[in-house]
Amino acid sequence: MQKNSILILLLGALISTISAVASVTTTFSNAIHYQFDTDGNAIDLTSAKIDFLGGTYIWYGLPFGCGQAFCGITSYSSSDLQTWHFNGFLFDPNTAAIQALCSLPLSGNCGRPHIVYSEQNANYVLWVNQASPGYLLFTSSNPTSGYTMLQDRALVGFQPPGPFQGGDFSVQTINGTGYIAYSLIDFTTTGASIWPPFNQSIYFQELTPSMLNTTGSVSHVVSAAVDLVDFEAESPDIFKRGDYFYVSASNTCGFCTGTLLIMYRSESIAGPWKRQIISADTCGGQSNGVLALPSPSGGPTSYLHVADLVSSAPLTGTREAAHGHQFQVLSFNSDGTVNDLNCSPSQTFTVTLTPGSAVSTSGFATTATDSSGEVAAWTPTCNLPTYQLYQTWASSKTGTLSEVGFNVAGDNPTGNLTVTIFRYQNNTNFFTPHYVWEMLATVNVLPSNISQAFEVVRVPVGKAVSAEDRLGIALVSLSVTPMCVMVKTSSDVMFDVDTSTRTLFANGVNQVSLRGPDGTQPPVVVMAGQEIKWYASVV
């Protein structure tokens, strides 16, 4: 009896351990607009989807940091939807054939990529938007690389001849069956008015078992209203909850700073479809799609809506790389209706999910000795070249300062960004005329090496430092156009000239002399409670 009791206790402990490993709890906050990879780079994805592929969460879409209409398709992997590892390009975007297909005006720019797994062929099928007819296809045995373009296109069941073109779309597998929702753009109204530039509405269709084409009849996803909301619908995605098929969508936006978020639902793929508007402006962005997150404990599935938060972008452009993203868990009523998005900055959402497997969490930022941290309410601040910036910290380790990195973005800067890593004695040095710091390294970052996304600029140093040494990063821009850094602000961080180590100092451009009514005020000021995003590695 005693042995049985011990066995039961051991079995219970084993089950508890397995359960602990088989789930992870993640919290999303409306205050967090930017996500980063393990090297510290801001996630540069637009029109991107998250799917559970190959045993892990894959976030894939269009990067626009290169400043062109098509820079390629890249992906990131995560086990918990918080820490993201950069995987690189799904295929080489620089071949002549790909450039010819994806870079031309009105080509679709290989946009709104979606991946679906084909059980029949045991491979992954990448669908992209590329002119007419239908959609361009790629296949690979790996969800994140090695995709090869197919000659045959996937055709859709309704695309009349003439000025009609397939636009935004989604492909998804539900209970083993593949589906596509696509917007059909009607260019017959182009130029007829100031707005809208064209009409478009969504169609829904089943895929073949190979996931390489469509089959069967087509359902027109419009509501009983049959109004302009229905005929300006784009960026669709597909999911199923209970008895209902859902198609999420936005109204025509084109990388704008907010548009309607629509939810269609029907108990049959043939319709009829009921419509809701669940946000007036998608919290300042545009919908990318919905990820179904089955509970690891067998409980109800959670549905995570992801949007491009274009309003967060500090730089302009039709394809904006420097924007953040919003993750928000949807809530439903008993009749299948979806509750409105909650755009409050203080709102948080917590879900328990099955963790992804075999994802590296190691990177320049995650293994750094000292850093500003990754998860925070980062805000883009475009105060270069208006100011020269000096971010300081105290080294926590004795050894060799191997490199320093920081995030910066620029839209075609006209001059170099000069970066200096320095050592100084105390905070009064910044207010003392003729003080000379100890320079540890300096580099000139060329305009061609500045991304339009918030990528990390890495500065090699290779100099000995001691624990508690006061170190700093000096940023001086010679551009006449703005450059942006990421800043977090805490009202609780007060500057103390004797004890503060992590301080952001600033000096107005060409401000080199004393100021103030009595001629005693130094030009350097403290940016109270602010810190740019940076890291430093000591080995």
Side-chain angles (χ1 to χ4, degrees):
M1 187 69 179
Q2 186 176 8
K3 290 183 179 180
N4 289 339
S5 298
I6 293 173
L7 182 60
I8 291 171
L9 289 173
L10 290 174
L11 183 60
L14 178 61
I15 292 172
S16 296
T17 301
I18 293 173
S19 298
V21 172
S23 66
V24 62
T25 298
T26 297
T27 297
F28 306 99
S29 170
N30 282 355
I32 306 299
H33 294 166
Y34 288 88
Q35 297 77 32
F36 303 91
D37 67 19
T38 54
D39 288 331
N41 302 294
I43 301 295
D44 176 15
L45 288 178
T46 298
S47 303
K49 185 69 169 67
I50 301 176
D51 282 317
F52 194 74
L53 301 168
T56 196
Y57 298 97
I58 309 294
W59 195 2
Y60 56 94
L62 303 175
F64 286 131
C66 75
Q68 303 299 317
F70 179 74
C71 303
I73 302 175
T74 57
S75 76
Y76 301 77
S77 297
S78 178
S79 61
D80 59 3
L81 301 178
Q82 294 278 24
T83 302
W84 294 97
H85 173 78
F86 181 58
N87 301 314
F89 290 98
L90 271 60
F91 54 83
D92 185 354
N94 296 314
T95 64
I98 293 298
Q99 284 294 314
L101 287 168
C102 300
S103 297
L104 298 177
L106 297 179
S107 68
N109 299 123
C110 293
R112 289 278 169 188
H114 281 78
I115 299 171
V116 64
Y117 184 71
S118 169
E119 292 280 357
Q120 184 180 90
N121 296 327
N123 63 5
Y124 296 91
V125 183
L126 168 67
W127 293 54
V128 302
N129 180 10
Q130 197 283 313
S132 295
Y135 294 92
L136 187 63
L137 299 178
F138 298 74
T139 59
S140 176
S141 60
N142 188 314
T144 62
S145 64
Y147 282 89
T148 301
M149 185 174 66
L150 304 184
Q151 294 304 310
D152 293 333
R153 300 175 70 98
L155 303 180
V156 292
F158 183 72
Q159 187 172 352
F164 293 88
Q165 180 174 313
D168 291 352
F169 74 101
S170 175
V171 290
Q172 191 61 263
T173 303
I174 298 173
N175 298 328
T177 301
Y179 299 93
I180 182 172
Y182 66 97
S183 62
L184 185 67
I185 304 174
D186 175 3
F187 286 110
T188 59
T189 59
T190 299
S193 63
I194 298 173
W195 69 275
F198 46 75
N199 287 336
Q200 58 180 334
S201 57
I202 296 171
Y203 292 83
F204 195 89
Q205 193 173 10
E206 191 174 317
L207 301 183
T208 60
S210 67
M211 306 295 168
L212 296 174
N213 217 327
T214 57
T215 186
S217 59
V218 181
S219 171
H220 196 187
V221 183
V222 292
S223 69
V226 195
D227 57 10
L228 193 58
V229 172
D230 288 333
F231 281 86
E232 283 296 308
E234 64 177 14
S235 68
D237 197 21
I238 306 163
F239 64 98
K240 193 169 191 286
R241 179 183 182 273
D243 296 330
Y244 287 102
F245 289 90
Y246 289 83
V247 174
S248 62
S250 71
N251 257 194
T252 302
C253 176
F255 314 104
C256 69
T257 56
T259 184
L260 299 181
L261 176 55
I262 308 164
M263 282 289 175
Y264 292 100
R265 73 184 190 279
S266 174
E267 293 181 290
S268 167
I269 64 171
W273 295 88
K274 299 178 181 179
R275 187 188 76 198
Q276 292 179 261
I277 296 174
I278 67 168
S279 181
D281 67 347
T282 317
C283 302
Q286 184 178 23
S287 176
N288 283 341
V290 177
L291 169 65
L293 292 170
S295 169
S297 62
T301 298
S302 298
Y303 297 86
L304 183 69
H305 178 258
V306 182
D308 286 330
L309 205 60
V310 186
S311 60
S312 64
L315 303 172
T316 60
T318 57
R319 287 164 167 79
E320 180 48 66
H323 67 76
H325 303 87
Q326 184 189 71
F327 292 66
Q328 190 164 145
V329 179
L330 299 176
S331 62
F332 297 79
N333 300 308
S334 59
D335 62 354
T337 56
V338 188
N339 291 316
D340 289 353
L341 287 191
N342 186 328
C343 296
S344 168
S346 62
Q347 183 67 35
T348 60
F349 307 88
T350 299
V351 292
T352 300
L353 51 99
T354 301
S357 60
V359 179
S360 173
T361 59
S362 179
F364 298 117
T366 57
T367 60
T369 308
D370 299 301
S371 76
S372 56
E374 295 291 288
V375 179
W378 294 104
T379 300
T381 302
C382 301
N383 53 7
L384 292 168
T386 305
Y387 289 98
Q388 299 171 0
L389 300 178
Y390 310 89
Q391 176 63 60
T392 67
W393 76 97
S395 179
S396 64
K397 181 180 177 180
T398 297
T400 299
L401 179 62
S402 60
E403 74 170 56
V404 174
F406 61 94
N407 293 73
V408 67
D411 186 3
N412 298 313
T414 60
N416 293 347
L417 175 65
T418 300
V419 184
T420 302
I421 311 302
F422 62 93
R423 179 162 32 208
Y424 66 106
Q425 298 302 311
N426 57 63
N427 288 328
T428 60
N429 298 152
F430 288 91
F431 311 123
T432 303
H434 302 298
Y435 173 76
V436 179
W437 61 38
E438 178 187 354
M439 186 179 69
L440 302 180
T442 186
V443 297
N444 283 313
V445 185
L446 301 177
S448 58
N449 293 328
I450 299 293
S451 172
Q452 291 191 13
F454 280 105
E455 293 183 3
V456 170
V457 170
R458 299 174 58 196
V459 181
V461 182
K463 294 293 179 67
V465 296
S466 298
E468 305 305 323
D469 274 1
R470 290 176 175 262
L471 306 173
I473 308 167
L475 303 178
V476 179
S477 172
L478 300 180
S479 175
V480 298
T481 57
M483 298 180 66
C484 312
V485 293
M486 309 201 82
V487 173
K488 65 178 179 180
T489 303
S490 173
S491 58
D492 299 328
V493 179
M494 303 300 293
F495 175 71
D496 184 284
V497 70
D498 296 318
T499 61
S500 294
T501 55
R502 292 198 178 181
T503 302
L504 180 60
F505 297 92
N507 188 18
V509 62
N510 297 326
Q511 299 295 324
V512 296
S513 60
L514 292 169
R515 304 168 62 80
D518 56 359
T520 60
Q521 180 180 330
V524 176
V525 297
V526 173
M527 309 296 277
Q530 295 187 18
E531 184 176 15
I532 70 169
K533 188 173 178 296
W534 63 276
Y535 70 81
S537 295
V538 178
V539 296

